[in-house]
Amino acid sequence: MNPPIESGPGGVRPSLVNVTHLIYGLHAIAVLIGVTSSATIVGGFVFGLPSLLGVFLNYWMRSEVRGTWLESHFRWQIRTFWFTVLWLGVYGLFLITIIGIPIAFVLILGLGFWVAYRVVRGWLALNAGETINA
């Protein structure tokens, strides 16, 4: 007989909380790479290996957190990634026109701040043991 799995806050396994911290950490590394390199925050987030690994882990572990308070964090992380990809596409459309280049510049800066905000806000909520609403 297997020993019972211990539960942490909110009735979830501590290992799932640790995985969620790891994913936020991977996203934060991607943002940091974007800030400290020639890439933009958005470029580092969408195309960087840490963030791609984080999204892979989100999808791989999603069924493990279904029905728990961590499900909101996984949804938050996945939506952050895919909305960033969507707005990056809009940025590209503005960038290909001469008139849209100033709009594209403002959009990429705003999107970078938005990504950083979502990573920080989500991670702070996780540290507090709270759900996060998209």
Side-chain angles (χ1 to χ4, degrees), residues 42-74:
V42 176
F45 185 76
V46 171
F47 300 112
L49 188 58
S51 198
L52 292 173
L53 180 58
V55 170
F56 172 78
L57 285 171
N58 277 137
Y59 281 109
W60 188 39
M61 301 293 293
R62 195 177 196 182
S63 63
E64 297 286 322
V65 299
R66 190 160 285 125
T68 70
W69 66 278
L70 292 176
E71 184 176 17
S72 68
H73 287 276
F74 274 57

Side-chain angles (χ1 to χ4, degrees), residues 2-17:
N2 291 333
I5 298 173
E6 292 186 31
S7 293
V12 298
R13 294 191 321 259
S15 62
L16 293 175
V17 176

Side-chain angles (χ1 to χ4, degrees), residues 10-124:
V12 298
R13 294 191 321 259
S15 62
L16 293 175
V17 176
N18 291 338
V19 166
T20 311
H21 277 292
L22 173 67
I23 294 168
Y24 277 119
L26 289 168
H27 289 313
I29 289 169
V31 168
L32 188 61
I33 288 171
V35 168
T36 61
S37 70
S38 61
T40 63
I41 292 173
V42 176
F45 185 76
V46 171
F47 300 112
L49 188 58
S51 198
L52 292 173
L53 180 58
V55 170
F56 172 78
L57 285 171
N58 277 137
Y59 281 109
W60 188 39
M61 301 293 293
R62 195 177 196 182
S63 63
E64 297 286 322
V65 299
R66 190 160 285 125
T68 70
W69 66 278
L70 292 176
E71 184 176 17
S72 68
H73 287 276
F74 274 57
R75 187 174 48 251
W76 178 265
Q77 293 164 337
I78 290 168
R79 285 182 179 179
T80 300
F81 181 83
W82 287 113
F83 276 112
T84 303
V85 170
L86 171 71
W87 283 105
L88 193 58
V90 172
Y91 161 79
L93 292 174
F94 279 120
L95 196 59
I96 60 173
T97 66
I98 299 223
I99 297 172
I101 290 175
I103 296 169
F105 180 72
V106 171
L107 180 65
I108 201 73
L109 283 175
L111 190 55
F113 283 116
W114 181 80
V115 167
Y117 161 78
R118 299 253 316 173
V119 170
V120 169
R121 180 172 176 225
W123 211 351
L124 288 174

